[in-house]
Every structure is written in structure tokens, then in C-alpha cells.
Amino acid sequence: MEINRYIDHTILKATATSEDIVELCKEAKEYNFFSVCVNSGFVPLAKKELEGTDVKVCTVVGFPLGAMSTAAKVFETQQALKDGAEEVDMVINIGELKSKNFKQVEEEIAEIKKTVGDKVLKVIIETCYLTPQEIVLASEIAVKAKADFVKTSTGFGNDGARLENIELMKKAVEGKAKLKASGGIKNLDTTLSFIEAGVERIGTSSGISIVKELKK
């Protein structure tokens, strides 16, 4: 199994420096990860570092709270694409979902998907703040809005990816969107259990140790 090709090699912490991004890209090239995932301000640097390789540049939008205006998220998306991002992981407006403003949540995702076009949009629903019913609803809304992936977590909430939530998401999307698990995935066993559950992408900052564990 080419486990490295499941991995979005990620650094999103507030203290990440330019040197950290350069190192992240170097590691991604060495281990041939699917992508690097960085905050949108670092997209131009990541793009430059990965020039001429197969490693994609993924970025986050409306991160990590999802509570900014749709216009702000759309602008951030446009700028990230202009700077060379090939995949966008957006955070839904969690408060609007919990307020039962489902149409607004769907319209926002659809607007960003329109901006992303034929590139990949992953929708972060931040499962740790949602009830099982809300997880199903959020996943269904993402599919209706034509998202390519539904993703569990930012890694900044009070919990990360859980298998039981992936099961709910998988059922809800009915094969119309792919699944990404992120948040707290640090070892091979956990990674494999998510892949077995149907996840097609793993967001982690522990990609190197996971790959090394597999080689052992």
C-alpha cells in the first residue's frame, strides 16, 4: 500500500515560520506525499518549493473557526488559487448550521465550489462540535453543494477524527463525495483503520513517522 499517497502533509499552527514551510515541502518531496497543507498566506512559498514535482499545494479557507463572512472566504479562496493552490479545505459556518440556517451553509459551500471550479474542494464540518444528526446533515449539505470531499476536523477543535463519525459521514454522502480524516492521526494503526473505513485522504503532521512505521 502506498500510504504516503493518502497523506496531506500538514502544518497549520500559528507559529509556523517560512523555514518550517520550506522543510515541510522538502519532506513532502522526499516521501512523495499527496500534498502539503498550509495556511493560505504560505501558498506562494509552498508553490515555489514544490515546482516541478507531483506534490500538490493544499490550503485552508475560513480557518479554523469558519465564522467569517462568505465574501471573506470567497476572496481568500480566489487569492489562494491565484497563488497556486490546487486544493482548498474550507471550514463551514458551524454557528449557522447549529442555528438551522441550512440554506445559508449550502449556499456558502456552493459559492466556494464555484470559485474553485475543477480543482478540489474539501469541506471541514468540525465533527467535535456537532451531534450525530448534525454530522449527517452537514455531510448531506456538502454533497448538495457539489463538494469533492467531506472532512472531519480542523485539528484545532476539542477533538479530532473518530471512526464512528466517519461511518456517519460515509453513509450520508452515499459515494457522492470522498472522505478526509484529520485531527489527532499520529500512528500507523489509526491511519490504517481510517483507510479501511473508506477514507481517501489523511490530514496529519505525523506523515513521516507513519510511513517509517509501515516500512518497519
Side-chain angles (χ1 to χ4, degrees):
M1 175 192 275
E2 281 193 294
I3 210 162
N4 52 315
R5 300 303 292 163
Y6 281 85
I7 291 173
D8 288 342
H9 193 39
T10 304
I11 190 165
L12 296 167
K13 59 186 183 185
T15 52
T17 63
S18 302
E19 288 76 18
D20 292 333
I21 303 300
V22 170
E23 184 59 25
L24 184 85
C25 293
K26 197 175 127 209
E27 292 165 351
K29 287 187 279 194
E30 187 185 335
Y31 288 88
N32 194 25
F33 290 128
F34 191 89
S35 81
V36 299
C37 187
V38 298
N39 279 300
S40 61
F42 281 123
V43 168
L45 177 59
K47 188 69 182 167
K48 182 170 149 277
E49 291 298 314
L50 294 168
E51 208 67 67
T53 74
D54 286 343
V55 182
K56 295 191 184 302
V57 178
C58 171
T59 195
V60 289
V61 159
F63 194 86
L65 302 178
M68 48 294 288
S69 69
T70 296
K73 288 181 185 174
V74 169
F75 180 81
E76 188 179 14
T77 304
Q78 288 167 337
Q79 188 61 49
L81 294 169
K82 209 183 283 179
D83 289 338
E86 294 157 277
E87 300 198 343
V88 170
D89 292 18
M90 68 162 285
V91 187
I92 64 161
N93 193 315
I94 300 155
E96 291 292 12
L97 183 84
K98 287 192 149 306
S99 305
K100 299 187 166 45
N101 293 331
F102 306 133
K103 193 170 189 301
Q104 196 163 327
V105 176
E106 185 186 334
E107 281 171 359
E108 179 175 273
I109 300 167
E111 188 67 31
I112 294 171
K113 179 56 191 170
K114 204 169 90 188
T115 307
V116 169
D118 57 4
K119 294 191 166 66
V120 170
L121 176 65
K122 308 189 203 95
V123 173
I124 306 170
I125 64 174
E126 199 68 298
T127 50
C128 64
Y129 298 136
L130 306 181
T131 64
Q133 291 83 352
E134 287 168 339
I135 289 170
V136 167
L137 254 169
S139 303
E140 289 171 348
I141 288 168
V143 165
K144 264 176 137 172
K146 304 280 190 284
D148 302 285
F149 276 81
V150 181
K151 174 177 168 184
T152 58
S153 330
T154 60
F156 286 73
N158 57 24
D159 199 4
R162 286 180 173 270
L163 281 169
E164 60 267 31
N165 293 337
I166 284 291
E167 293 302 334
L168 289 171
M169 291 159 71
K170 187 179 178 181
K171 224 174 181 168
V173 301
E174 297 177 319
K176 294 179 194 132
K178 296 173 183 176
L179 303 170
K180 176 174 172 179
S182 64
I185 300 170
K186 295 185 186 305
N187 59 43
L188 181 63
D189 276 356
T190 312
T191 304
L192 291 173
S193 62
F194 278 110
I195 291 170
E196 276 157 27
V199 164
E200 294 192 40
R201 204 79 67 76
I202 302 282
T204 180
S205 53
S206 305
I208 292 172
S209 57
I210 290 166
V211 169
K212 283 181 173 169
E213 230 186 303
L214 184 67
K215 282 180 179 162
K216 270 183 201 162

